Amino acid sequence: MAYSNFTLETVRTEFQLEIVESAGIFSNLEPVTPSVELTADLEKKVPVAAAINTEKARSELIVANVLFELREQFDRAISFFSGIDFNVDPENGLTGVCDFLVSLSPMQSILQAPVIVLVEAKKEDPAPGLGQCVAEMLAAQRFNAEKGNDIPHIYGAATTGTEWKFLKLQEKRLHLDITIYPIAQCDKILGILSSMVEQKA
């Protein structure tokens, strides 16, 4: 089994997770104003990504730009990776490629703990990516613990680029925000991601 094989139900049962669904868990967080460059990029790239309508286009033209902006907002004190193998626990199926992950380490050449945010990109609907994202979050939780850099919360996002859904994992309790955040609210999305990096979400 690999990350991509997990659904929200299989990840819940196999890892005995308690799932708490709420609307707007992250809605009260302070927005972060995107740079002029990101705003201009999204104005040009979002329509193109939507027209091409593949996971690859949405990842490269929207998601990567948002995460690059997040890194810049933190003066490159964090790192983000795209499309890397993250094989943590093969016996439990926690293996495979992560679309995007964010580490609190500034080192960009090597993935280091703690991994804090996992982002799973989908073509049309973020919901099918939730199980895969949660499996990757569980892997990050184990990866951090093995490296002696355990942190209280692991965060996740399932996104089409134009729609974002956010999650928070604390031990075996998974908080799922059922609110969908559109890319038109990029400042809100950046605010949520920034609070995740700061462990304030």
Side-chain angles (χ1 to χ4, degrees), residues 3-172:
Y3 300 126
S4 58
N5 295 322
F6 283 102
T7 64
L8 197 56
E9 175 59 20
T10 57
V11 80
R12 181 187 72 83
T13 54
E14 291 192 25
F15 295 96
Q16 293 87 49
L17 296 179
E18 175 191 358
I19 299 179
V20 180
E21 289 184 326
S22 304
I25 301 169
F26 301 100
S27 61
N28 293 327
L29 296 169
E30 284 295 315
V32 171
T33 303
S35 66
V36 173
E37 292 81 6
L38 177 62
T39 302
D41 273 349
L42 292 179
E43 285 177 0
K44 291 184 292 185
K45 294 177 179 179
V46 168
V48 175
I52 297 171
N53 200 28
T54 63
E55 287 179 26
K56 190 170 190 294
R58 289 173 176 269
S59 294
E60 292 175 350
L61 297 175
I62 306 174
V63 182
N65 282 273
V66 171
L67 294 179
F68 186 84
E69 172 80 0
L70 180 69
R71 181 172 177 259
E72 292 297 298
Q73 293 273 358
F74 282 89
D75 294 323
R76 305 181 187 182
I78 62 173
S79 54
F80 85 92
F81 297 82
S82 173
I84 66 167
D85 289 323
F86 193 48
N87 301 319
V88 176
D89 186 354
E91 286 186 12
N92 288 294
L94 300 181
T95 63
V97 175
C98 292
D99 286 343
F100 296 94
L101 53 81
V102 177
S103 168
L104 293 185
S105 164
M107 182 173 287
Q108 196 60 70
S109 301
I110 303 169
L111 176 63
Q112 293 191 315
V115 171
I116 183 73
V117 182
L118 287 299
V119 180
E120 183 59 35
K122 291 297 172 189
K123 185 171 77 169
E124 292 173 339
D125 180 2
L130 292 173
Q132 185 173 351
C133 186
V134 174
E136 293 168 5
M137 292 164 70
L138 286 162
Q141 197 177 56
R142 296 179 183 202
F143 177 79
N144 293 342
E146 287 170 6
K147 302 294 183 183
N149 209 332
D150 211 359
I151 50 177
H153 304 114
I154 304 292
Y155 297 95
T159 181
T160 62
T162 51
E163 295 181 343
W164 295 66
K165 290 178 73 77
F166 294 102
L167 311 95
K168 177 171 74 171
L169 179 65
Q170 182 177 17
E171 296 180 351
K172 286 186 171 288

